[in-house]
Amino acid sequence: MTEMAVCSSPEMTPEEEKLTIRDISMAAEAQTKEGDTFYLITQRWWQEWLEYVNQNQATTTIDGSSSDQPDSAGLNNLKRPSAIDNSDLIYEAESEASTIGIELHDTLVEGTDYILLPQEVWNQLYAWYGGGPTLARKVINSGLSQTELAVEVYPLRLQLHLMPKGDNLTIRISKKETLGELHRRACEIFDLNLEQVCIWDYYGRRKHALMNDMGKTLDDANIQMDQDILVEVGDRSNLALGACTSSVQENGSTDKDITSVLVEPSKSSFSIAGGLSASKGLSKNCISESSQFQNLTSPGRESDNTYGISGVTTRGSSCGLTGLLNLGNTCFMNSAIQCLVHTPEFARYFREDYHKEINWQNPLGMVGELALAFGDLLRKLWAPGRTPVAPRPFKAKLARFAPQFSGYNQHDSQELLAFLLDGLHEDLNRVKHKPYIKSRDADGRPDEEVADEYWANHIARNDSIIVDVCQGQYKSTLVCPVCNKISVTFDPFMYLSLPLQSTTTRTMTLTVFTCDGSALPSACTVTVPKQGRCRDLIQAISNACSLKNNEKLLLAEIRSHLIHRFLEDPLISLSSIKDDDHLAAYKIPKFVKNTKFLQLIHRREERETGNAQSTMGWKPYGTPLVSPISGDESITRGDIQFMVHTMLSPMLRSESVGHPDISDTNTSIPPSDPSQTTSSIEACTDSTVADSIHRNGGSSKSTALPKLPLQLVDENNACIDLSVGEDKAVKLSSSSMSILVFIDWSAKLLEKYDANCLENLPEVVKYGPVTKKARTEPLSLYTCMEAFLREEPLVPEDMWYCPQCKERRQASKKLDLWRLPEVLVIHLKRFSYSRSMKHKLETFVNFPIHDFDLTNYVANKNNPGRQLYELYALTNHYGGMGSGHYIAHIKLLDENRWYNFDDSHISTINEDDVKSAAAYVLFYRRVKTDNASVSNGAQSSAGHNIYSQK
């Protein structure tokens, strides 16, 4: 695997090599753009080369003169490094049949295991030293604005599943490649033609979406690392029609047999979230301000950032702008740490001598190890310089004391924050021996007296910098619903978790169709739980349309005038139904054995614009109708004619009743345009069909009924003209649940039937101007606070034991703020969990940045000061549950400027851009006013300003 080149010793000294590489780096920096190539090189070899080229570097004496140190003479003979050897970055040699090529180890960390070199630098080093293997990676646009350059160290690794053959293979492909390129790669690997293949988003081994927008990128299609991709082989038009008409595979019956053939994909080990290098930006280890290339500057010259590629310039900047390397899905930790580190009270405390406050004996703590690890990390982040810090020691301590955060899975940053604050408190608790104190009930005493007593009891057991800064107190009032016993307690809090009072329901509009001809289609709007299931929707429609006892509803999603899928599974989540989808509900008999569904698909002749003579062919339009058929009974062509007449009977125009001859004797059905219609539709447009439309059969059922231009698609995809041979039996497919029948609506036929009700199927949610305005009204943080403090009954699982009734009661509970801390941490409850699913609320919350006034929410009226707070930090979560990405927005108070902390990448951000729907945990600090006092009562210097208030 290792590439070798003949390494003739260059006629260059180590110093010349160093200056050459430095000059190439500076030139490359100015021209870096999307699509450029960077190369990984092992940190071990790079460090060896740095030592080699720096061996003759002069040192500077105290008086400023330069001298060569005689003691270092031995270093002047350092051996020139051998060939580049990147073997420690990759797995063992892959088999020749591998489609994935050379694979990097999954947990490599930039700056520790490897660095990234521009192509020109790599080419020069490779020319001098040879070796390999060559590990090239492309520069892509990344970040929320897609304007930040990053090296895609880990492209997407996708599991391709070939159906129905059952083969599966793994490929690597850039997240910026198009779906068209994925199609091409899949066809190349499996030796297929593009016309044979449909590719599906197969996330979680279920068909999510047909990926047919060839210009769309994998990133835009939300394809994730190690995701399953289904490569389905067959006639492409048939596959596309199957996606629209078959309920079998979408609902899992036939699909189970096929997917069981698929080979279980290999269990992949961890890979860096997002597939980017851990720094989320161009390597600062090769051509920025990191130590490696600082060593390439000339002796005695102060290193600067003249050839930094990305981020904020460091020249003249203050401390506190150091990023944290992403160790692999550790953005949740990095964002929370940066917010705590930039809390001024903590920044000063941990940079001073805090060791005397460590509680080495506290059984509830971590014997000081967590506090020491956090303090060490904070000092590194506040040290001069901008080289990103790898928080490995801190993460190791975290994993030791909180195993739930071990490994490299994504976690909730608020859960980490809660553990960290509590852990730091116990490690720094000034109380070495906690006294036992029994709390007394209020028993009618003044609230102020009871609150002070509770707080004093709390401080007697819990006294730390965390309590001084972050802990407040709220009043909790419980009222027994039976005896009206009132219980008042005053409890401490470290943060407030506020509910997002977004709507928990949604309205959905469907069109209800009958199969017995009893009524015209009618729109029905119902209200259902937003996180409900299909059964909730069915129940709501059943109630709204007065469903009979012997009827049931069959829901279907309509796309392009065809049935895309039947929603038969009652557990399908309603969140999978989008607002702009189109749904139909079909009333069908409840008791039909071995049910198959006749789908009546409407077609009409579409003409070229401005040309009344030529036609493009018969194209689907309107909404299909559905009628159940028993697969156990024989059925004739005349029977299907009768069924269709029944379904269409409500649309028969009144003047047409009693005029059976509604067939169009001059109907001529030209061949369909193959580029516009599916193969089944093509097969049913033979012009010879029209010649036999008026031939009568002898079915007793339909002798008095006109013959409709119907064509049935059989199991061989051939068309059967149902207007002749009434008594001929129709053979139903044993494998398909659907029977496709096309009706071609000529102009003459439309004179007899009013088919307008089949058109313009409404969207699930149609926003009008008023509704749209209401949706854009932002949810206020004050509204969330009021919802948090609102009186409400306890949940049945958390009932209160009433001391007067001597029984557990579902009491009502009311919270009030009593004491507010110096730093108020507010958690917006975006994530909800139930037994079977998780959900994230994307609600935008309008939170104040300045003058967050909580005066009216504090029940303690003895404190006359205004309770004003200012936002200085927040964490943001982008993406869905269990994935996504965390970043922090932080204001440096001495600069009065906001910064975006995205792992190792730091950039300025406008204050107007701080607010977004991604805001998750907010950090507010008290605004010092003349009449404001320290509300939590802590007599500690920790509450004073470190920076002058801007």
Side-chain angles (χ1 to χ4, degrees):
M1 177 179 286
T2 304
E3 306 164 41
M4 295 300 295
V6 178
C7 297
S8 56
S9 181
E11 298 294 323
M12 297 184 74
T13 65
E15 181 68 12
E16 288 171 333
E17 280 192 24
K18 176 177 68 174
L19 295 176
T20 299
I21 294 298
R22 189 194 67 185
D23 293 343
I24 294 174
S25 301
M26 293 172 65
E29 172 271 331
Q31 302 172 358
T32 301
K33 62 186 181 302
E34 183 184 14
D36 285 356
T37 303
F38 273 60
Y39 291 79
L40 281 79
I41 190 168
T42 175
Q43 173 73 22
R44 178 179 44 77
W45 187 92
W46 176 253
Q47 195 60 43
E48 185 181 350
W49 180 79
L50 284 178
E51 291 172 0
Y52 167 70
V53 297
N54 285 313
Q55 60 181 305
N56 293 321
Q57 185 167 326
T59 59
T60 304
T61 61
I62 296 175
D63 62 4
S65 62
S66 296
S67 66
D68 290 324
Q69 295 292 328
D71 293 340
S72 63
L75 297 176
N76 295 341
N77 298 320
L78 278 177
K79 186 179 177 182
R80 189 169 184 269
S82 56
I84 298 169
D85 181 11
N86 282 334
S87 59
D88 60 335
L89 301 181
I90 61 175
Y91 286 106
E92 292 297 327
E94 303 284 339
S95 66
E96 292 184 2
S98 171
T99 59
I100 202 167
I102 298 174
E103 268 291 86
L104 296 176
H105 286 291
D106 280 324
T107 54
L108 298 178
V109 176
E110 184 184 1
T112 301
D113 303 309
Y114 69 91
I115 65 165
L116 292 165
L117 301 177
Q119 183 169 2
E120 298 82 353
V121 175
W122 167 263
N123 288 344
Q124 186 60 74
L125 289 174
Y126 187 80
W128 289 341
Y129 293 92
T134 300
L135 304 173
R137 294 295 186 267
K138 292 291 185 182
V139 174
I140 63 172
N141 279 329
S142 69
L144 299 174
S145 60
Q146 294 295 305
T147 57
E148 300 170 10
L149 296 178
V151 178
E152 193 178 32
V153 175
Y154 290 101
L156 291 175
R157 179 170 50 204
L158 303 179
Q159 314 283 346
L160 301 186
H161 299 274
L162 183 64
M163 185 181 290
K165 191 175 179 181
D167 294 344
N168 68 325
L169 289 170
T170 304
I171 66 166
R172 283 278 192 184
I173 186 170
S174 171
K175 65 195 293 184
K176 295 301 180 182
E177 286 290 1
T178 62
L179 296 179
E181 176 62 14
L182 177 61
H183 275 70
R184 190 195 67 76
R185 291 273 300 274
C187 291
E188 180 181 331
I189 291 169
F190 292 119
D191 195 22
L192 303 169
N193 294 324
L194 279 171
E195 293 74 25
Q196 293 178 288
V197 170
C198 278
I199 291 187
W200 295 82
D201 180 345
Y202 204 44
Y203 182 79
R205 296 297 194 88
R206 294 188 63 180
K207 288 183 181 179
H208 283 267
L210 181 64
M211 300 196 293
N212 54 5
D213 186 350
M214 299 304 178
K216 199 173 190 178
T217 66
L218 296 172
D219 195 17
D220 291 336
N222 198 27
I223 302 302
Q224 306 295 321
M225 181 70 76
D226 291 319
Q227 185 170 321
D228 294 307
I229 301 293
L230 181 64
V231 181
E232 198 170 21
V233 182
D235 185 274
R236 195 166 186 174
S237 57
N238 284 347
L239 291 175
L241 180 65
C244 298
T245 59
S246 172
S247 66
V248 181
Q249 291 191 3
E250 287 298 326
N251 292 301
S253 51
T254 305
D255 213 24
K256 289 179 183 175
D257 302 327
I258 298 175
T259 54
S260 63
V261 180
L262 295 176
V263 180
E264 177 74 9
S266 57
K267 299 296 182 185
S268 60
S269 54
F270 157 78
S271 58
I272 290 177
L276 301 178
S277 67
S279 68
K280 294 290 191 299
L282 286 173
S283 173
K284 294 182 175 62
N285 295 297
C286 55
I287 48 179
S288 186
E289 63 274 21
S290 73
S291 59
Q292 285 91 342
F293 265 92
Q294 288 176 6
N295 290 333
L296 299 187
T297 56
S298 57
R301 171 186 166 189
E302 183 179 349
S303 63
D304 58 28
N305 193 35
T306 53
Y307 41 91
I309 285 184
S310 60
V312 184
T313 177
T314 60
R315 212 177 278 134
S317 67
S318 63
C319 299
L321 292 176
T322 301
L324 287 166
L325 289 176
N326 192 318
L327 306 180
N329 280 330
T330 55
C331 56
F332 77 97
M333 179 181 77
N334 292 349
S335 60
I337 287 174
Q338 291 285 16
C339 289
L340 289 182
V341 162
H342 288 84
T343 297
E345 292 80 357
F346 294 153
R348 186 182 70 170
Y349 179 85
F350 283 98
R351 283 188 288 173
E352 294 176 351
D353 184 13
Y354 63 92
H355 294 78
K356 61 181 180 295
E357 291 202 334
I358 292 179
N359 192 328
W360 306 100
Q361 290 82 35
N362 188 353
L364 300 177
M366 293 102 194
V367 293
E369 292 190 33
L370 185 66
L372 289 170
F374 179 79
D376 181 60
L377 182 58
L378 181 144
R379 292 182 180 202
K380 289 179 180 177
L381 293 175
W382 278 100
R386 289 286 308 287
T387 304
V389 175
R392 285 185 181 277
F394 177 80
K395 188 179 186 305
K397 295 295 183 187
L398 184 68
R400 178 180 172 189
F401 294 108
Q404 66 268 33
F405 298 117
S406 61
Y408 295 94
N409 292 324
Q410 183 69 279
H411 294 281
D412 188 330
S413 69
Q414 187 273 334
E415 291 179 0
L416 170 79
L417 185 67
F419 169 81
L420 189 51
L421 287 172
D422 189 60
L424 290 173
H425 159 66
E426 296 295 353
D427 265 5
L428 298 169
N429 197 345
R430 303 175 186 115
V431 178
K432 303 304 188 252
H433 303 285
K434 296 186 177 184
Y436 174 74
I437 302 173
K438 186 176 181 179
S439 298
R440 294 189 300 151
D441 204 349
D443 289 331
R445 293 183 293 157
D447 282 348
E448 292 76 13
E449 178 186 334
V450 179
D452 288 345
E453 180 183 289
Y454 269 85
W455 187 254
N457 292 344
H458 176 66
I459 293 298
R461 294 172 55 83
N462 302 277
D463 183 17
S464 70
I465 179 66
I466 306 299
V467 175
D468 296 341
V469 175
C470 291
Q471 285 201 350
Q473 186 183 35
Y474 58 70
K475 174 185 176 183
S476 174
T477 306
L478 291 170
V479 180
C480 177
V482 177
C483 69
N484 292 323
K485 164 70 176 175
I486 298 176
S487 174
V488 177
T489 58
F490 291 84
D491 302 310
F493 66 85
M494 193 89 75
Y495 53 86
L496 300 178
S497 288
L498 304 189
L500 303 191
Q501 292 297 297
S502 64
T503 176
T504 57
T505 61
R506 66 186 289 200
T507 59
M508 301 182 74
T509 300
L510 298 84
T511 304
V512 180
F513 296 84
T514 63
C515 67
D516 59 3
S518 58
L520 284 167
S522 60
C524 180
T525 301
V526 294
T527 300
V528 293
K530 183 178 283 188
Q531 299 308 314
R533 300 186 182 276
C534 215
R535 62 190 176 198
D536 300 314
L537 179 58
I538 291 173
Q539 184 61 50
I541 303 169
S542 301
N543 296 337
C545 68
S546 302
L547 200 67
K548 299 174 184 176
N549 290 333
N550 61 346
E551 291 178 325
K552 65 178 181 179
L553 288 176
L554 177 65
L555 302 187
E557 181 183 345
I558 311 299
R559 290 189 189 177
S560 303
H561 311 294
L562 300 171
I563 293 179
H564 173 64
R565 59 169 175 162
F566 284 115
L567 304 173
E568 291 184 291
D569 185 353
L571 298 181
I572 291 175
S573 173
L574 294 183
S575 61
S576 67
I577 301 172
K578 307 307 178 190
D579 287 350
D580 56 355
D581 286 346
H582 300 267
L583 296 186
Y586 299 99
K587 288 184 180 182
I588 60 175
K590 188 177 290 184
F591 308 106
V592 178
K593 295 181 180 178
N594 189 15
T595 307
K596 294 181 182 294
F597 298 110
L598 184 149
Q599 297 183 26
L600 182 66
I601 298 173
H602 311 279
R603 298 191 301 188
R604 65 181 171 189
E605 212 170 13
E606 291 194 358
R607 305 178 185 280
E608 292 182 359
T609 306
N611 188 344
Q613 301 301 317
S614 60
T615 63
M616 294 173 61
W618 294 89
K619 306 294 173 59
Y621 92 106
T623 307
L625 299 178
V626 172
S627 182
I629 296 178
S630 173
D632 296 335
E633 299 176 5
S634 61
I635 187 169
T636 66
R637 299 181 185 182
D639 292 333
I640 295 180
Q641 283 274 350
F642 182 78
M643 292 172 63
V644 174
H645 269 289
T646 302
M647 286 191 285
L648 297 179
S649 60
M651 296 184 291
L652 194 64
R653 297 182 190 271
S654 57
E655 62 269 20
S656 301
V657 177
H659 297 275
D661 186 17
I662 63 170
S663 298
D664 186 356
T665 55
N666 297 317
T667 299
S668 175
I669 307 177
S672 189
D673 183 353
S675 66
Q676 298 285 331
T677 56
T678 63
S679 59
S680 296
I681 298 174
E682 290 172 12
C684 297
T685 53
D686 189 354
S687 60
T688 61
V689 173
D691 300 336
S692 59
I693 282 181
H694 293 294
R695 296 174 195 158
N696 255 329
S699 171
S700 60
K701 239 181 200 181
S702 55
T703 49
L705 295 174
K707 301 300 178 290
L708 294 168
L710 305 180
Q711 297 156 76
L712 179 142
V713 182
D714 67 9
E715 57 186 345
N716 297 318
N717 209 29
C719 273
I720 299 173
D721 179 13
L722 299 181
S723 63
V724 296
E726 281 183 304
D727 296 327
K728 286 188 178 181
V730 175
K731 184 180 179 181
L732 302 180
S733 171
S734 58
S735 60
S736 176
M737 298 292 292
S738 296
I739 303 162
L740 297 185
V741 174
F742 295 104
I743 178 168
D744 294 333
W745 291 92
S746 63
K748 189 169 183 180
L749 189 58
L750 286 171
E751 291 176 4
K752 310 299 180 183
Y753 285 90
D754 183 2
N756 289 332
C757 59
L758 298 175
E759 301 185 55
N760 303 320
L761 192 67
E763 294 179 353
V764 168
V765 176
K766 187 69 175 177
Y767 293 116
V770 176
T771 310
K772 205 161 196 176
K773 183 179 180 182
R775 288 182 77 244
T776 59
E777 287 288 333
L779 179 66
S780 166
L781 186 61
Y782 291 107
T783 304
C784 298
M785 182 67 72
E786 289 160 8
F788 173 72
L789 300 175
R790 186 180 300 136
E791 182 175 354
E792 58 184 15
L794 296 173
V795 295
E797 297 81 16
D798 192 25
M799 291 201 296
W800 171 62
Y801 181 81
C802 176
Q804 195 160 291
C805 295
K806 308 296 184 185
E807 288 188 33
R808 293 197 172 275
R809 301 295 189 192
Q810 192 174 6
S812 63
K813 183 176 183 179
K814 173 74 171 71
L815 294 178
D816 293 289
L817 299 179
W818 190 265
R819 276 174 223 271
L820 293 179
E822 286 301 303
V823 169
L824 178 63
V825 181
I826 294 179
H827 162 225
L828 302 178
K829 295 173 71 173
R830 293 200 176 276
F831 300 119
S832 61
Y833 305 84
S834 66
R835 188 175 305 169
S836 57
M837 65 182 300
K838 301 175 182 178
H839 175 66
K840 180 188 175 186
L841 291 174
E842 300 285 356
T843 309
F844 173 74
V845 178
N846 186 19
F847 51 90
I849 295 177
H850 304 284
D851 297 331
F852 181 34
D853 192 349
L854 294 175
T855 307
N856 294 333
Y857 299 97
V858 177
N860 181 8
K861 301 307 178 185
N862 283 351
N863 190 341
R866 294 184 67 196
Q867 306 293 322
L868 293 179
Y869 284 82
E870 180 176 355
L871 187 76
Y872 71 93
L874 68 153
T875 65
N876 301 273
H877 180 268
Y878 300 90
M881 288 289 298
S883 60
H885 183 55
Y886 286 97
I887 65 171
H889 295 334
I890 295 170
K891 182 179 183 180
L892 289 194
L893 299 181
D894 58 345
E895 292 187 20
N896 197 30
R897 181 182 298 171
W898 283 91
Y899 288 90
N900 180 69
F901 285 72
D902 186 355
D903 289 331
S904 59
H905 182 77
I906 300 171
S907 56
T908 55
I909 183 174
N910 293 326
E911 185 171 276
D912 294 340
D913 297 328
V914 168
K915 294 184 182 183
S916 77
Y920 185 41
V921 181
L922 309 173
F923 291 75
Y924 283 94
R925 65 191 309 265
R926 185 187 299 281
V927 176
K928 301 299 181 185
T929 58
D930 293 339
N931 59 348
S933 60
V934 178
S935 217
N936 72 357
Q939 301 300 316
S940 170
S941 61
H944 300 307
N945 280 323
I946 292 177
Y947 306 103
S948 58
Q949 191 71 34
K950 299 291 182 183

